[in-house]
Amino acid sequence: MAAIPSFTGDANPYGGGDPYADHRTADFPFTHHANLADRQLGAAVIAANDEFFAQRENLLLPGRAEFDPEHFGHKGKIMDGWETRRRRGASADHPWPAPDDHDWALVRLGAPGVIRGIVVDTAHFRGNYPQAVSVEGTSVPGSPSPRELLGDDVKWTTLVPRTPVGGHAENGFSISVEQRFTHLRVNQHPDGGIARLRVYGEVVPDPGWLAVLGTFDVVALENGGRAEDASNLFYSPATNTIQPGRSRKMDDGWETRRRRDRGHDWIRYRLAAQARIRALEIDTAYLKGNSAGWASVSVKDGEDGDWAEILPRTRLQPDTNHRFVLPAPAVGTHARVDIYPDGGISRLRLHGTLTEEGARRLAARHQELGG
């Protein structure tokens, strides 16, 4: 684990104007992965030992934290983040917090997986951010309660050791632990506030659950699919197309900039494992004047396989879910959607079942990662 780069120390007091003008941030190498702590996936902050000034749930809100210098409540300044009260020592002779004093929050990941990076954003916490943070992870099946997670029999693995952080900054940490996690414990030492938490990684689904389902969406993020690459990410990320549920607004899909050439745009996906695809859906929900005009879908089997078109170039309608039953199952490990000439789609669904080889490989990886 390493912080890249490292921000420490106070930020300047807010002086008016754009509060993000002096926000410290960097391009972290792991942010192309999916956010496993996305509320849309089902992530939640299920407990915290203290949330006196600002609620723990704010940690996982989408978008940047907001700041209103005039917003005060009966407990004081209202912050868009998780903020605890100031810790005190045991007596007048020792008024300072003890070295091990800290506050904590328990986070259930929306989808279990291997974590590649964590961002702890202290935006707008300029003089009231924690001195340091640490993050631990565990893997517990089912739906454990906070009491169960805090039990003595639960083993926690250190992902981010106690590390100094800076105020009003995105503090990024690369993670190199090859293990599947379901929950995190985020600690701030000794107290203070964190605006947002992002947990980037690769979904590792439960193969037993998928086997019981039989037919499922083999490209869905929650089932272990992922968007590997795309021709254009100007307006929104390609991962949006494999999020759970239908899109609820225009930016909850994938939209490209307007093309002024004779080319077209595309997304390439890796499926949960080798699968037989029997039906597919292309949804353009909320894309009304900017949906793709036409789309085609192809699959290939293995990294070195050849692309085979399973849906020929087909006219799409705005704000519509299009369903297609394939004349014969298509076997593959990867898929690609091509849109013509540009625009966007909100969701892609590939309905199928794992092959015996796909199920075997998925189960082996699950076991290898401690699932």
Side-chain angles (χ1 to χ4, degrees):
M1 190 289 305
I4 42 176
S6 178
F7 299 115
T8 56
D10 291 346
N12 292 325
Y14 175 62
D18 179 7
Y20 274 101
D22 59 342
H23 181 240
R24 294 178 285 177
T25 185
D27 290 327
F28 301 116
F30 46 73
T31 55
H32 64 282
H33 292 288
N35 177 19
L36 303 183
D38 192 335
R39 281 288 299 167
Q40 196 169 357
L41 275 176
V45 187
I46 61 175
N49 72 306
D50 187 296
E51 47 187 327
F52 184 86
F53 286 115
Q55 293 75 25
R56 64 182 190 260
E57 288 86 358
N58 292 335
L59 280 174
L60 305 187
L61 289 178
R64 301 195 303 178
E66 298 179 356
F67 180 73
D68 182 351
E70 305 299 327
H71 197 189
F72 286 83
H74 64 277
K75 290 184 179 180
K77 182 72 184 72
I78 295 177
M79 297 293 289
D80 184 8
W82 167 49
E83 185 181 6
T84 66
R85 73 192 77 200
R86 298 186 187 222
R87 282 183 170 270
R88 298 297 185 228
S91 67
D93 291 334
H94 297 280
W96 308 279
D100 293 333
D101 283 351
H102 68 279
D103 293 317
W104 54 264
L106 294 178
V107 177
R108 180 189 68 233
L109 297 179
V114 179
I115 298 170
R116 300 302 183 192
I118 296 174
V119 173
V120 176
D121 189 356
T122 58
H124 316 306
F125 290 97
R126 296 168 176 269
N128 50 349
Y129 61 93
Q131 182 183 33
V133 299
S134 60
V135 182
E136 303 157 278
T138 191
S139 183
V140 179
S143 304
S145 68
R147 181 183 293 273
E148 290 170 321
L149 287 169
L150 296 173
D152 294 337
D153 58 333
V154 173
K155 177 185 176 182
W156 291 89
T157 299
T158 298
L159 301 177
V160 179
R162 183 170 175 168
T163 305
V165 294
H168 197 44
E170 281 190 328
N171 301 275
F173 306 91
S174 287
I175 309 299
S176 57
V177 179
E178 290 295 320
Q179 187 175 332
R180 178 181 185 266
F181 294 103
T182 61
H183 295 77
L184 299 184
R185 183 162 61 189
V186 180
N187 306 302
Q188 47 179 339
H189 308 265
D191 54 38
I194 298 170
R196 294 290 189 268
L197 175 74
R198 305 295 187 233
V199 183
Y200 297 97
E202 301 166 12
V203 176
V204 180
D206 179 353
W209 174 253
L210 297 183
V212 170
L213 291 181
T215 298
F216 60 93
D217 182 1
V218 297
V219 76
L221 181 61
E222 60 187 326
N223 293 332
R226 64 179 186 263
E228 289 191 320
D229 199 4
S231 60
N232 187 271
L233 301 171
F234 188 83
Y235 286 112
S236 44
T239 299
N240 282 355
T241 61
I242 54 175
Q243 288 278 7
R246 293 199 72 197
S247 173
R248 295 179 180 270
K249 51 192 176 74
M250 191 175 73
D251 66 350
D252 189 22
W254 171 62
E255 182 188 358
T256 70
R257 71 177 75 204
R258 299 189 188 211
R259 277 190 171 268
R260 303 306 188 198
D261 58 22
R262 307 294 289 180
H264 74 282
D265 290 311
W266 52 267
I267 305 176
R268 188 180 72 244
Y269 305 89
R270 178 184 290 273
L271 308 185
Q274 187 188 63
R276 290 185 180 89
I277 302 166
R278 293 180 171 84
L280 61 93
E281 297 178 71
I282 301 175
D283 196 353
T284 57
Y286 290 92
L287 295 164
K288 299 180 179 181
N290 50 354
S291 67
W294 292 262
S296 64
V297 179
S298 304
V299 299
K300 71 173 183 177
D301 192 22
E303 293 286 353
D304 299 325
D306 295 324
W307 290 106
E309 193 173 69
I310 62 173
L311 179 72
R313 193 179 306 186
T314 302
R315 188 74 167 97
L316 299 182
Q317 300 300 318
D319 197 25
T320 300
N321 190 31
H322 309 75
R323 291 179 171 175
F324 307 93
V325 176
L326 301 183
V331 175
T333 56
H334 296 72
R336 190 184 74 226
V337 59
D338 294 89
I339 64 170
Y340 302 87
D342 57 21
I345 62 173
S346 60
R347 295 291 187 271
L348 174 71
R349 304 298 187 206
L350 301 178
H351 302 289
T353 56
L354 297 185
T355 64
E356 290 186 7
E357 175 65 12
R360 185 190 67 78
R361 286 178 177 249
L362 191 65
R365 183 164 188 254
H366 186 264
Q367 183 177 19
E368 178 185 332
L369 295 171

